[in-house]
Amino acid sequence: MPVLLHDTMSREMRPLLPRRPDGVYGMYCCGPTVYGPAHIGNFRTFTIQDTLRRTLEVSGIHVRHVRNITDVDDKTIRGAQAAGKSLAEFTKGWTDKFHHDCQALELLPPQVEPSAVAHIPQQITMIAALVARGHAYVAKDGSVYFKVCSCPDYGKLSHLDRSNLSTQSTNSAGEANDADEYERESAADFALWKSRKPEDGPNFWPSPWGEGRPGWHIECSAMSLEHLGATFDLHAGGVDLCFPHHENEIAQSECATGVKGFAAHWFHSAHLMVEGEKMSKSLGNLYTLDDLKAKGWSPMEVRWTLLSGHYRSPLNFTMKGLDDARSALGKLERGLDNLLTTAGFTRAEFLPPTTHETQTAWGRFLPAWEKLCDDLNVPGAFGEIFKTLSNPAKDLTAAREDISGLAKILYALGITPFAVKAEVAIPANIRELAEKRWAAKQAKDFQGADSLRNQITAAGWTMLDRKDGYDLKPGA
RNA sequence: GGUGCGGUAGCCAAGUGGUAAGGCCGGGCUCUGCAAAAGCCCCAUUCGUCGGUUCGAUUCCGACCCGCACCUCCA
């Protein structure tokens, strides 16, 4: 069953199938700018991209996933200087942090993770090609700009009106867009190479146009060409990148290589809201994974929450949503436990699928898989999973088929049940009260047991009795 | 103003030309010394508003209202 996905450029639902003869599906995702910790909005996009990649893999497609690291731009340079570190040292730290968070969120590592700094020669080569072909010009200060009017179909991705663009010299805030705007022939033109400025410090590279550094947009064009070729299957990013970043990438790449059809499919995911408001530093709602961990949420609960809405709709991220996710994950685990019992398996035997051959059983989870294949409908798939789980499997054989299907679905979603919960240290005094209460209960001293329960509750803990013992958890 | 997305129960959120998935919360019951957990059951005559097409529309068409995003910092 092919995976169907909405394409931004054609605005159509299209099947995702490898175009290359070797069957490899090339997927390029705009990665993070490593000047600080990524926030959950960034991770919504990366989690959705990861889910698409996993879904393609389960459908039997061999994916080559490329996600770049932007390690040179205004923010990284400024950050490095503020931290008193070299650019490389500064971005290495934040890249490591990003990888750590990705791992916690079960994001599969891309096959290739190119760095912009490591691809400066390729960027220079591409800029030189653009200059040679008349698509770029060198300004007096040694900066190089892309000549938007030289690209007749500029705007085809975002469907923007070109005449409107060329007259626009201020942004929505009414500010001039660039200090060097007078260097440009047209306000719509954008920088390919930025000439060296004093504030860049030691961060400049030689080029045929003098010392400087690459513009932001050219990075992705050069890296996708290097690792996927002049045309490839899918390009992904957040909606905000649609214009101008992706539009510029198309123009640069197609004009530099002379090959039309840069990316066959454009995949954009909607933004994340927090508690009903746009995320911003001033509102103080720019959560990182660490912020949420500190509030007691597990990365898996965060992943579930990030996936709980369709990728093309804005998602309102709330603490209530995390709470819902926790309950839902618990329900999933209980349902899976039932299935494993019927199948005669232990939890340890529930493993992610190592191969994703389409002929292996889906059991009753085929409808859930069909949802996922239909424009990556994750909420729909969640619904189907729970609907199926609410009915017991008929027998051992049926349960085993179900488990095969569910394992593949959960792999595609990147949901790992039975994750080890964070062990909360129980204070000795609480432990002591609990022991006393348990003893009192065994002795049928219910008055004493109730009194001890009250003390435990007052101390901020909850004692949960089982037949053969008890559990303690923080909170009322 | 331009472009795009969306308005479905208390909250989150799928979906369909034939009479509304699922999750959370809430309510009831069972179990339980109590409490919790768990299990079972219940929980939208209705899908922003108004028209149109139709035997039938939440689903198609039109208008309108409202919300959101992007329009050269942004996942």
Side-chain angles (χ1 to χ4, degrees), chain A residues 32 51 195 210 231 264 274 299 444 460:
Chain A
T51 303
S195 63
T231 68
V274 171
K444 303 222 183 278

Side-chain angles (χ1 to χ4, degrees), chain A residues 164-179 181-182 184 186-188 243:
Chain A
N164 187 27
L165 287 174
S166 54
T167 58
Q168 193 162 1
S169 60
T170 57
N171 62 22
S172 51
E175 301 157 332
N177 285 316
D178 258 315
E181 124 183 60
Y182 302 107
R184 289 182 288 167
S186 162
F243 186 88

Side-chain angles (χ1 to χ4, degrees), chain A residues 266-284:
Chain A
W266 287 90
F267 177 62
H268 290 107
S269 42
H271 273 180
L272 189 73
M273 315 278 288
V274 171
E275 303 288 349
E277 291 182 298
K278 188 176 173 170
M279 280 194 311
S280 72
K281 275 189 179 160
S282 57
L283 286 170

Side-chain angles (χ1 to χ4, degrees), chain A residues 194-367:
Chain A
K194 296 183 165 190
S195 63
R196 180 183 170 187
K197 293 188 177 57
E199 56 266 34
D200 292 340
N203 304 302
F204 57 87
W205 289 264
S207 84
W209 318 283
E211 290 170 339
R213 60 185 169 95
W216 175 46
H217 308 297
I218 196 73
E219 299 176 355
C220 289
S221 284
M223 289 187 273
S224 61
L225 177 64
E226 175 80 5
H227 298 286
L228 293 172
T231 68
F232 52 93
D233 296 290
L234 181 137
H235 194 130
V239 272
D240 53 294
L241 295 186
C242 189
F243 186 88
H245 184 58
H246 290 161
E247 200 69 71
N248 293 354
E249 274 188 61
I250 294 171
Q252 293 162 340
S253 295
E254 294 188 352
C255 291
T257 63
V259 179
K260 291 283 175 191
F262 173 53
H265 201 290
W266 287 90
F267 177 62
H268 290 107
S269 42
H271 273 180
L272 189 73
M273 315 278 288
V274 171
E275 303 288 349
E277 291 182 298
K278 188 176 173 170
M279 280 194 311
S280 72
K281 275 189 179 160
S282 57
L283 286 170
N285 60 5
L286 261 178
Y287 294 120
T288 63
L289 192 58
D290 284 347
D291 292 337
L292 296 171
K293 278 192 200 163
K295 288 174 184 282
W297 302 106
S298 72
M300 191 42 57
E301 286 159 352
V302 174
R303 181 171 179 121
W304 185 285
T305 306
L306 292 176
L307 286 176
S308 65
H310 187 93
Y311 77 91
R312 281 201 278 149
S313 301
L315 177 72
N316 186 18
F317 188 94
T318 61
M319 293 303 137
K320 166 79 162 55
L322 284 164
D323 209 31
D324 290 359
R326 174 170 292 179
S327 301
L329 270 163
K331 187 165 183 157
L332 175 73
E333 290 180 347
R334 292 191 299 275
L336 179 53
D337 269 335
N338 289 338
L339 215 46
L340 289 169
T341 304
T342 310
F345 289 145
T346 64
R347 282 186 173 192
E349 288 171 289
F350 185 74
L351 298 167
T354 49
T355 59
H356 308 294
E357 291 153 27
T358 46
Q359 64 267 33
T360 58
W362 281 102
R364 294 175 298 151
F365 288 95
L366 187 60

